[in-house]
PDB file of all heavy atoms in Angstrom:
ATOM      1  N   GLN A 213     -26.932  14.959 -10.221  1.00 97.00           N
ATOM      2  CA  GLN A 213     -26.826  13.662 -10.882  1.00 97.00           C
ATOM      3  C   GLN A 213     -26.330  12.584  -9.910  1.00 97.00           C
ATOM      4  O   GLN A 213     -26.808  11.451  -9.929  1.00 97.00           O
ATOM      5  CB  GLN A 213     -25.884  13.769 -12.079  1.00 97.00           C
ATOM      6  CG  GLN A 213     -26.458  14.563 -13.248  1.00 97.00           C
ATOM      7  CD  GLN A 213     -25.424  14.832 -14.325  1.00 97.00           C
ATOM      8  OE1 GLN A 213     -24.271  15.176 -14.034  1.00 97.00           O
ATOM      9  NE2 GLN A 213     -25.832  14.672 -15.578  1.00 97.00           N
ATOM     10  N   ARG A 214     -25.395  12.957  -9.062  1.00 97.00           N
ATOM     11  CA  ARG A 214     -24.892  12.009  -8.069  1.00 97.00           C
ATOM     12  C   ARG A 214     -25.984  11.629  -7.071  1.00 97.00           C
ATOM     13  O   ARG A 214     -26.060  10.486  -6.620  1.00 97.00           O
ATOM     14  CB  ARG A 214     -23.694  12.607  -7.323  1.00 97.00           C
ATOM     15  CG  ARG A 214     -22.430  12.693  -8.158  1.00 97.00           C
ATOM     16  CD  ARG A 214     -21.273  13.179  -7.311  1.00 97.00           C
ATOM     17  NE  ARG A 214     -20.033  13.193  -8.055  1.00 97.00           N
ATOM     18  CZ  ARG A 214     -18.844  12.976  -7.534  1.00 97.00           C
ATOM     19  NH1 ARG A 214     -18.717  12.734  -6.233  1.00 97.00           N
ATOM     20  NH2 ARG A 214     -17.750  13.002  -8.271  1.00 97.00           N
ATOM     21  N   LYS A 215     -26.812  12.602  -6.726  1.00 98.00           N
ATOM     22  CA  LYS A 215     -27.932  12.328  -5.819  1.00 98.00           C
ATOM     23  C   LYS A 215     -28.872  11.298  -6.434  1.00 98.00           C
ATOM     24  O   LYS A 215     -29.379  10.401  -5.741  1.00 98.00           O
ATOM     25  CB  LYS A 215     -28.692  13.629  -5.528  1.00 98.00           C
ATOM     26  CG  LYS A 215     -29.831  13.475  -4.530  1.00 98.00           C
ATOM     27  CD  LYS A 215     -29.321  13.116  -3.149  1.00 98.00           C
ATOM     28  CE  LYS A 215     -30.455  13.070  -2.134  1.00 98.00           C
ATOM     29  NZ  LYS A 215     -29.983  12.622  -0.794  1.00 98.00           N
ATOM     30  N   ASN A 216     -29.073  11.378  -7.723  1.00 98.00           N
ATOM     31  CA  ASN A 216     -29.916  10.412  -8.418  1.00 98.00           C
ATOM     32  C   ASN A 216     -29.314   9.006  -8.360  1.00 98.00           C
ATOM     33  O   ASN A 216     -30.031   8.015  -8.158  1.00 98.00           O
ATOM     34  CB  ASN A 216     -30.095  10.834  -9.879  1.00 98.00           C
ATOM     35  CG  ASN A 216     -30.969   9.882 -10.656  1.00 98.00           C
ATOM     36  OD1 ASN A 216     -32.099   9.604 -10.278  1.00 98.00           O
ATOM     37  ND2 ASN A 216     -30.446   9.344 -11.752  1.00 98.00           N
ATOM     38  N   ILE A 217     -28.002   8.916  -8.496  1.00 98.00           N
ATOM     39  CA  ILE A 217     -27.323   7.624  -8.400  1.00 98.00           C
ATOM     40  C   ILE A 217     -27.502   7.041  -7.005  1.00 98.00           C
ATOM     41  O   ILE A 217     -27.760   5.840  -6.840  1.00 98.00           O
ATOM     42  CB  ILE A 217     -25.818   7.779  -8.728  1.00 98.00           C
ATOM     43  CG1 ILE A 217     -25.625   8.275 -10.161  1.00 98.00           C
ATOM     44  CG2 ILE A 217     -25.079   6.468  -8.510  1.00 98.00           C
ATOM     45  CD1 ILE A 217     -26.203   7.388 -11.233  1.00 98.00           C
ATOM     46  N   GLU A 218     -27.389   7.882  -5.984  1.00 98.00           N
ATOM     47  CA  GLU A 218     -27.610   7.446  -4.603  1.00 98.00           C
ATOM     48  C   GLU A 218     -29.024   6.894  -4.428  1.00 98.00           C
ATOM     49  O   GLU A 218     -29.217   5.853  -3.783  1.00 98.00           O
ATOM     50  CB  GLU A 218     -27.395   8.603  -3.634  1.00 98.00           C
ATOM     51  CG  GLU A 218     -25.968   9.059  -3.497  1.00 98.00           C
ATOM     52  CD  GLU A 218     -25.839  10.283  -2.614  1.00 98.00           C
ATOM     53  OE1 GLU A 218     -26.882  10.727  -2.048  1.00 98.00           O
ATOM     54  OE2 GLU A 218     -24.720  10.816  -2.479  1.00 98.00           O
ATOM     55  N   GLU A 219     -30.004   7.583  -4.988  1.00 98.00           N
ATOM     56  CA  GLU A 219     -31.402   7.170  -4.834  1.00 98.00           C
ATOM     57  C   GLU A 219     -31.669   5.833  -5.526  1.00 98.00           C
ATOM     58  O   GLU A 219     -32.442   5.005  -5.020  1.00 98.00           O
ATOM     59  CB  GLU A 219     -32.322   8.261  -5.371  1.00 98.00           C
ATOM     60  CG  GLU A 219     -32.323   9.511  -4.486  1.00 98.00           C
ATOM     61  CD  GLU A 219     -33.097  10.672  -5.088  1.00 98.00           C
ATOM     62  OE1 GLU A 219     -33.549  10.557  -6.252  1.00 98.00           O
ATOM     63  OE2 GLU A 219     -33.247  11.699  -4.392  1.00 98.00           O
ATOM     64  N   ILE A 220     -31.047   5.618  -6.674  1.00 98.00           N
ATOM     65  CA  ILE A 220     -31.188   4.336  -7.369  1.00 98.00           C
ATOM     66  C   ILE A 220     -30.604   3.221  -6.504  1.00 98.00           C
ATOM     67  O   ILE A 220     -31.204   2.147  -6.353  1.00 98.00           O
ATOM     68  CB  ILE A 220     -30.491   4.378  -8.746  1.00 98.00           C
ATOM     69  CG1 ILE A 220     -31.215   5.347  -9.683  1.00 98.00           C
ATOM     70  CG2 ILE A 220     -30.438   2.973  -9.377  1.00 98.00           C
ATOM     71  CD1 ILE A 220     -30.463   5.635 -10.968  1.00 98.00           C
ATOM     72  N   PHE A 221     -29.434   3.473  -5.933  1.00 98.00           N
ATOM     73  CA  PHE A 221     -28.781   2.492  -5.063  1.00 98.00           C
ATOM     74  C   PHE A 221     -29.671   2.156  -3.865  1.00 98.00           C
ATOM     75  O   PHE A 221     -29.899   0.973  -3.550  1.00 98.00           O
ATOM     76  CB  PHE A 221     -27.441   3.051  -4.589  1.00 98.00           C
ATOM     77  CG  PHE A 221     -26.667   2.127  -3.688  1.00 98.00           C
ATOM     78  CD1 PHE A 221     -25.782   1.209  -4.216  1.00 98.00           C
ATOM     79  CD2 PHE A 221     -26.818   2.188  -2.305  1.00 98.00           C
ATOM     80  CE1 PHE A 221     -25.054   0.352  -3.393  1.00 98.00           C
ATOM     81  CE2 PHE A 221     -26.099   1.334  -1.475  1.00 98.00           C
ATOM     82  CZ  PHE A 221     -25.221   0.420  -2.024  1.00 98.00           C
ATOM     83  N   ILE A 222     -30.176   3.178  -3.193  1.00 98.00           N
ATOM     84  CA  ILE A 222     -31.021   2.957  -2.018  1.00 98.00           C
ATOM     85  C   ILE A 222     -32.270   2.167  -2.385  1.00 98.00           C
ATOM     86  O   ILE A 222     -32.683   1.258  -1.651  1.00 98.00           O
ATOM     87  CB  ILE A 222     -31.395   4.301  -1.366  1.00 98.00           C
ATOM     88  CG1 ILE A 222     -30.147   4.972  -0.788  1.00 98.00           C
ATOM     89  CG2 ILE A 222     -32.442   4.112  -0.268  1.00 98.00           C
ATOM     90  CD1 ILE A 222     -30.341   6.430  -0.387  1.00 98.00           C
TER      91      ILE A 222
END
Side-chain angles (χ1 to χ4, degrees):
Q213 289 171 317
R214 288 185 176 212
K215 183 66 176 176
N216 180 55
I217 298 301
E218 290 175 4
E219 290 173 354
I220 293 170
F221 180 89
I222 294 168

